[in-house]
Amino acid sequence: MLKKLVVFTVNTNNYDRVEWDIDLIKKCKKNNIPIFYFTDDRNANAPKGVLIKLISTDEARNDLKKDRKIKILPHKFLPPHDYSIYLDARIIIKPNIIDKMIKYFSLGYDWISFKHRHRTSATIETIIATIYSKMTLISGIKTIAELNKVNYRSKKTELSENGCIGRKNNAKVQIACEKWASYTRDLKCRDQPSLVIALASIKPELKIKRYMDEAMSAQKDIIINNRFIKSITRKKFLKLWKSIYTWLILLSWDTVTRIWYKLRRVNSI
């Protein structure tokens, strides 16, 4: 068993309905792995074996929300530890994930997460998030420019699911997490593309393991719903037009910034 491994989840403002897998809790208890549940709900309940950590959600302006801050910067909120596993509150993780995380940590990996089930491109993820108003158009434009600036494609920095993340608590990982927090805050973007930017921008690179696993329960993917095409109303037509318009703008911007940063890299040689 790894020394000082901890598991944690976060839920504030009752944003999600917390899902608990009792077998996972039993496995952690058997192996002396503490599970921390960060919440601002003073009436929160959790199964026996889960340690509730009450937090304040009062935040300074322009800062990350507390739930995202804890997720991204565990070394600032967890007690002393060597390894951590973050679990999204709304997903159920089966117990075998603990064994797999321990296996990969033992092989020297700094960062472990699931591959994205549907996309590999952080650019496409950004465009889809912008279409569905998870990000503003300005944020999408800035994020795509930053993705091309760090040249994430040539570095083969993959998009990942961030619902389950294993991290070593070392200096390299802490720097990556600080950059992740900074890009997420400054670009006002989703944490999937901002993580790609952070990981592609750090030196030395982390040893990262991404894999597919059915142990994480499926979540609804953000996709364009074709049903609204069958019954075109004015509202749905505008939604379709917005999707096409956003795709065209951001894909064009992606091409322009890729060429721009490629020329800058060539001229700097």
Side-chain angles (χ1 to χ4, degrees), residues 7-8 24 71 84-89 91-94 97-98 101 111-115 160-167 209 211 215-216 219:
V7 174
F8 72 104
L24 175 69
K71 170 184 177 178
S84 69
I85 300 174
Y86 165 78
L87 307 178
D88 240 19
I91 63 174
I92 296 176
I93 301 291
K94 296 178 182 176
I97 286 297
I98 299 295
M101 289 284 185
W111 194 292
I112 307 159
S113 60
F114 293 119
K115 290 182 179 180
S160 63
E161 299 278 7
N162 293 338
C164 179
I165 307 171
R167 279 168 280 190
K209 176 67 179 180
Y211 68 103
M216 184 171 69
Q219 301 176 52

Side-chain angles (χ1 to χ4, degrees), residues 125-169:
E125 177 69 19
T126 300
I127 293 172
I128 290 175
T130 305
I131 287 173
Y132 279 85
S133 302
K134 303 294 183 181
M135 297 165 54
T136 66
L137 181 59
I138 295 299
S139 177
I141 288 170
K142 289 181 177 179
T143 300
I144 285 175
E146 201 65 40
L147 283 164
N148 287 322
K149 184 178 180 181
V150 299
N151 200 18
Y152 85 98
R153 288 182 177 90
S154 71
K155 295 177 182 177
K156 299 181 180 178
T157 310
E158 296 180 54
L159 188 69
S160 63
E161 299 278 7
N162 293 338
C164 179
I165 307 171
R167 279 168 280 190
K168 219 180 244 188
N169 188 21

Side-chain angles (χ1 to χ4, degrees), residues 21 39 55 82 103 115 125 140 151 162 165-166 196 213 221 231 239 268:
D21 185 274
T39 180
I55 56 174
D82 297 307
K103 171 189 171 183
K115 290 182 179 180
E125 177 69 19
N151 200 18
N162 293 338
I165 307 171
V196 170
D213 200 293
D221 187 40
S231 176
K239 184 176 179 181
S268 65

Side-chain angles (χ1 to χ4, degrees), residues 56-241:
S56 168
T57 52
D58 295 333
E59 297 298 327
R61 290 185 66 184
N62 300 321
D63 200 359
L64 287 173
K65 291 182 179 180
K66 194 63 168 282
D67 55 348
R68 191 177 277 189
K69 187 184 287 187
I70 296 171
K71 170 184 177 178
I72 294 176
L73 301 167
H75 58 281
K76 290 191 172 183
F77 296 92
L78 290 171
H81 63 283
D82 297 307
Y83 306 89
S84 69
I85 300 174
Y86 165 78
L87 307 178
D88 240 19
R90 69 181 182 275
I91 63 174
I92 296 176
I93 301 291
K94 296 178 182 176
N96 67 322
I97 286 297
I98 299 295
D99 295 326
K100 289 190 176 183
M101 289 284 185
I102 290 172
K103 171 189 171 183
Y104 291 132
F105 280 137
S106 299
L107 292 173
Y109 287 100
D110 298 301
W111 194 292
I112 307 159
S113 60
F114 293 119
K115 290 182 179 180
H116 201 286
R117 296 185 314 273
H118 304 288
R119 289 178 286 282
T120 57
S121 168
T123 299
I124 299 302
E125 177 69 19
T126 300
I127 293 172
I128 290 175
T130 305
I131 287 173
Y132 279 85
S133 302
K134 303 294 183 181
M135 297 165 54
T136 66
L137 181 59
I138 295 299
S139 177
I141 288 170
K142 289 181 177 179
T143 300
I144 285 175
E146 201 65 40
L147 283 164
N148 287 322
K149 184 178 180 181
V150 299
N151 200 18
Y152 85 98
R153 288 182 177 90
S154 71
K155 295 177 182 177
K156 299 181 180 178
T157 310
E158 296 180 54
L159 188 69
S160 63
E161 299 278 7
N162 293 338
C164 179
I165 307 171
R167 279 168 280 190
K168 219 180 244 188
N169 188 21
N170 58 26
K172 289 192 301 181
V173 170
Q174 289 181 15
I175 291 170
C177 290
E178 295 285 354
K179 280 182 171 285
W180 186 15
S182 178
Y183 282 121
T184 305
R185 180 186 62 244
D186 296 345
L187 296 172
K188 296 181 173 59
C189 66
R190 301 277 286 174
D191 61 31
Q192 287 97 339
S194 62
L195 176 58
V196 170
I197 296 169
L199 294 178
S201 67
I202 62 170
K203 292 181 180 180
E205 296 179 2
L206 301 182
K207 187 176 180 181
I208 300 171
K209 176 67 179 180
R210 291 190 181 89
Y211 68 103
M212 295 297 291
D213 200 293
E214 296 302 320
M216 184 171 69
S217 61
Q219 301 176 52
K220 289 183 179 178
D221 187 40
I222 302 174
I223 58 173
I224 297 176
N225 189 342
N226 292 322
R227 285 182 297 176
F228 70 74
I229 297 175
K230 296 178 182 177
S231 176
I232 299 293
T233 63
R234 182 174 180 275
K235 182 177 180 182
K236 290 175 180 178
F237 176 78
L238 290 174
K239 184 176 179 181
L240 176 61
W241 171 245

